[in-house]
Amino acid sequence: MRILSLLTLGASLVLSGCQGDDAEQSWVAYHQQIAKDLSSSPIERAAIDNIGAFPPQRERLIPVEETREGMLNIYALRECQITSLIAARNNQLGRVAPPSQHWLYERELWQRLDTCLNSDIPDGLSSEHRARLEQLTQLKTEQLPAVSWNALMGSEEWERSFSRASSALDIGMLPSIDQPLAAIRYLQQMMDTQFSHRWQQDSSRLENHLKGLHQRPLTAEFLRTLMLATQRLNEASAYLVNHDPQSAVCLSAWESASLDQFEQNAKTWLDAVNRLITSQTIEPPDAISHYRERWLSLENDQAPWPAYQKARAHHEATRSTYPQCADD
């Protein structure tokens, strides 16, 4: 009896999971309305593929050579106020700091070196130590874009946004994108101003934004919802094409406001994510470029966004061949 109860419970859980797929409800209702209008059989719906896997971390990062300087050399540049900063980075906590904190450290180190080099401090240094200051500043200037890139691409928060362990969104109850969008825009600001002395970074604000970004895999959810919408629109279009629009039937008005809102949110989000990837001063690794082109692109016909745009335009054109039912 216990085994039978467990099997019954398991079956009920599977069924409730299938029936409780909120993302499908709007499309089921829409398909049912079309079938009812045409007094015909139900529209057949196919399963939706998952998005592609986000590249592993080793393929997302840009190699950055570790800088090694003897303590005597660093001490010689003590007036540049970098000794305590480097000591903190080299202690046990500094070595295990997350990529975001390493980013802040490298940016602050560059700021102090650049400020020092452009002050009167080098006038009091020996030629050897002045040359070391110039070399170190140039090296950190060259490395900072790669460090910034790695801090973003190496973060757990960024990786989670592309998680395949995600679901499509219910377009009737869309989540707010205000907080995660603010996080993306803050990261963009940090990238855009990484060589600015006027813009002051804020560790707690950065971590709070990353925490907000970590709350849900929003990029993956948008991509999967686009794929779901594309499939369901194409199925509805094929169904309408296979019926005679000249027959004495009409289609009920399409209540597409929720789809319109989803479309606006998806476009806003993908615009922000694409800009964050493509606006860098360095060439992204091939794995990221290929992933972006296949899944995030707003131009590539094979990517979810253009495929959705094509499917919606085709569906609206197909619907237009049918008269619309008069309001009661």
Side-chain angles (χ1 to χ4, degrees):
M1 290 295 292
R2 177 175 173 79
I3 294 175
L4 179 60
S5 298
L6 289 174
L7 290 173
T8 303
L9 175 61
S12 65
L13 288 174
V14 170
L15 290 174
S16 65
C18 294
Q19 295 169 356
D21 188 355
D22 296 336
E24 285 280 12
Q25 295 309 304
S26 297
W27 296 109
V28 170
Y30 182 54
H31 281 187
Q32 288 175 341
Q33 184 61 58
I34 292 177
K36 180 180 178 182
D37 289 342
L38 272 59
S39 301
S40 190
S41 58
I43 298 176
E44 294 185 4
R45 288 186 294 277
I48 310 301
D49 291 335
N50 202 344
I51 61 174
F54 198 52
Q57 188 180 81
R58 66 180 180 277
E59 296 180 16
R60 302 195 305 264
L61 303 185
I62 298 173
V64 177
E65 185 177 352
E66 186 174 356
T67 305
R68 295 185 178 275
E69 287 285 348
M71 286 308 298
L72 289 178
N73 293 335
I74 296 300
Y75 182 73
L77 302 179
R78 60 190 178 280
E79 291 187 68
C80 295
Q81 300 181 347
I82 63 173
T83 51
S84 60
L85 185 64
I86 293 175
R89 174 71 178 90
N90 288 336
N91 66 26
Q92 187 172 5
L93 291 177
R95 291 175 181 174
V96 296
S100 57
Q101 292 302 307
H102 182 53
W103 182 10
L104 297 182
Y105 160 78
E106 289 288 340
R107 184 172 184 270
E108 185 173 357
L109 178 58
W110 170 82
Q111 283 181 318
R112 294 190 186 187
L113 288 169
D114 190 66
T115 298
C116 184
L117 183 61
N118 290 283
S119 69
D120 56 4
I121 292 177
D123 296 338
L125 298 175
S126 68
S127 59
E128 178 185 358
H129 291 146
R130 181 186 178 107
R132 180 169 287 108
L133 173 60
E134 292 173 346
Q135 293 167 1
L136 192 56
T137 304
Q138 181 180 355
L139 176 62
K140 290 304 174 182
T141 302
E142 294 171 352
Q143 288 182 340
L144 188 55
V147 170
S148 301
W149 172 271
N150 290 348
L152 175 63
M153 288 295 162
S155 69
E156 179 184 349
E157 294 83 2
W158 185 251
E159 182 175 5
R160 174 172 163 73
S161 188
F162 300 86
S163 173
R164 301 182 81 217
S166 59
S167 301
L169 298 169
D170 176 2
I171 61 174
M173 297 185 64
L174 294 172
S176 171
I177 65 171
D178 291 346
Q179 184 178 7
L181 191 60
I184 292 291
R185 288 173 174 167
Y186 186 79
L187 292 170
Q188 184 70 62
Q189 185 180 25
M190 282 195 66
M191 293 286 192
D192 292 344
T193 58
Q194 60 186 326
F195 287 114
S196 170
H197 286 280
R198 297 178 60 185
W199 191 79
Q200 297 298 316
Q201 59 200 31
D202 186 325
S203 177
S204 60
R205 189 177 179 189
L206 172 61
E207 295 304 329
N208 285 336
H209 277 307
L210 289 173
K211 181 179 178 181
L213 195 62
H214 187 270
Q215 290 180 354
R216 63 185 309 154
L218 201 53
T219 306
E221 289 176 330
F222 274 127
L223 294 178
R224 297 199 68 177
T225 310
L226 286 169
M227 294 170 69
L228 174 63
T230 299
Q231 180 72 22
R232 299 298 176 246
L233 288 170
N234 284 336
E235 289 164 348
S237 297
Y239 186 86
L240 292 173
V241 167
N242 289 330
H243 288 73
D244 181 11
Q246 303 304 319
S247 60
V249 297
C250 60
L251 293 180
S252 301
W254 185 18
E255 301 297 334
S256 62
S258 57
L259 184 61
D260 295 338
Q261 184 61 59
F262 160 73
E263 184 175 317
Q264 179 180 332
N265 289 1
K267 178 64 160 54
T268 299
W269 183 259
L270 290 176
D271 275 337
V273 170
N274 273 291
R275 181 170 184 267
L276 192 56
I277 293 175
T278 61
S279 65
Q280 306 312 310
T281 59
I282 55 176
E283 188 71 22
D286 288 344
I288 291 296
S289 295
H290 294 156
Y291 184 92
R292 193 195 73 79
E293 178 67 13
R294 175 60 182 87
W295 297 104
L296 304 176
S297 174
L298 303 180
E299 293 82 28
N300 178 18
D301 290 343
Q302 302 304 312
W305 174 260
Y308 161 77
Q309 291 286 302
K310 180 179 179 181
R312 180 161 187 179
H314 175 59
H315 184 64
E316 290 175 343
T318 304
R319 278 187 62 95
S320 69
T321 64
Y322 285 80
Q324 182 171 309
C325 300
D327 296 334
D328 294 334

